[in-house]
Amino acid sequence: MVLPVIRADMEPEELDKMMSSASDASTLLKAISHEGRLMILCHLVTGEKSVTELEELLSARQAAVSQQLARLRLEGLVTPRREGKTIYYSLSDDRPRQILEVIYDLFCSIDPNKGKTAETT
């Protein structure tokens, strides 16, 4: 992956596109910056879950889970599906999964060189 280089001679359209992309990235990062929302996304990576399943997995009250799901839904990261009285959620696209893979590599995986997790180094 090659990171962009901002140059003094960049065309205004190119700068505008970078600013728009930076705004989109910032919105996504804000949406996942809450540990509850991050954990919801982690659980949804393995597949669709009902609100009740998420409550149990997170050991959280329904109101708290619903509040975080509402924010994720607003940001377009999760998609609801209703079946009778039960609402199921799944990831809307692959963006959350890609971000979570990077977060996992940085904070959760074991460093093969040191034998410790990233958070204990």
Side-chain angles (χ1 to χ4, degrees):
M1 171 177 64
V2 177
L3 294 175
V5 176
I6 299 174
R7 303 175 320 274
D9 64 338
M10 288 180 81
E11 295 292 324
E13 296 82 21
E14 204 174 356
L15 278 173
D16 288 346
K17 182 171 178 4
M18 284 183 80
M19 285 301 295
S20 177
S21 295
S23 177
D24 292 344
S26 175
T27 299
L28 173 71
L29 292 170
K30 286 176 190 174
I32 66 171
S33 67
H34 183 277
E35 55 271 9
R37 291 191 293 267
L38 189 57
M39 288 302 298
I40 288 171
L41 293 173
C42 287
H43 286 298
L44 293 179
V45 163
T46 61
E48 182 180 73
K49 305 276 186 296
S50 70
V51 175
T52 303
E53 287 175 292
L54 289 169
E55 289 172 47
E56 292 169 2
L57 290 167
L58 298 166
S59 299
R61 295 187 350 243
Q62 186 271 333
V65 173
S66 292
Q67 180 181 19
Q68 301 310 329
L69 284 166
R71 173 69 188 274
L72 293 169
R73 193 173 58 243
L74 178 69
E75 301 301 340
L77 297 175
V78 298
T79 302
R81 178 181 68 83
R82 180 181 288 275
E83 188 175 294
K85 293 183 179 184
T86 305
I87 300 176
Y88 294 90
Y89 282 89
S90 59
L91 298 179
S92 295
D93 56 40
D94 208 40
R95 292 175 305 153
R97 180 184 317 276
Q98 292 173 345
I99 292 285
L100 290 171
E101 286 174 357
V102 172
I103 291 170
Y104 181 83
D105 285 344
L106 291 173
F107 296 97
C108 306
S109 66
I110 294 177
D111 181 345
N113 297 322
K114 297 183 182 181
K116 298 180 180 180
T117 63
E119 59 188 36
T120 60
T121 58

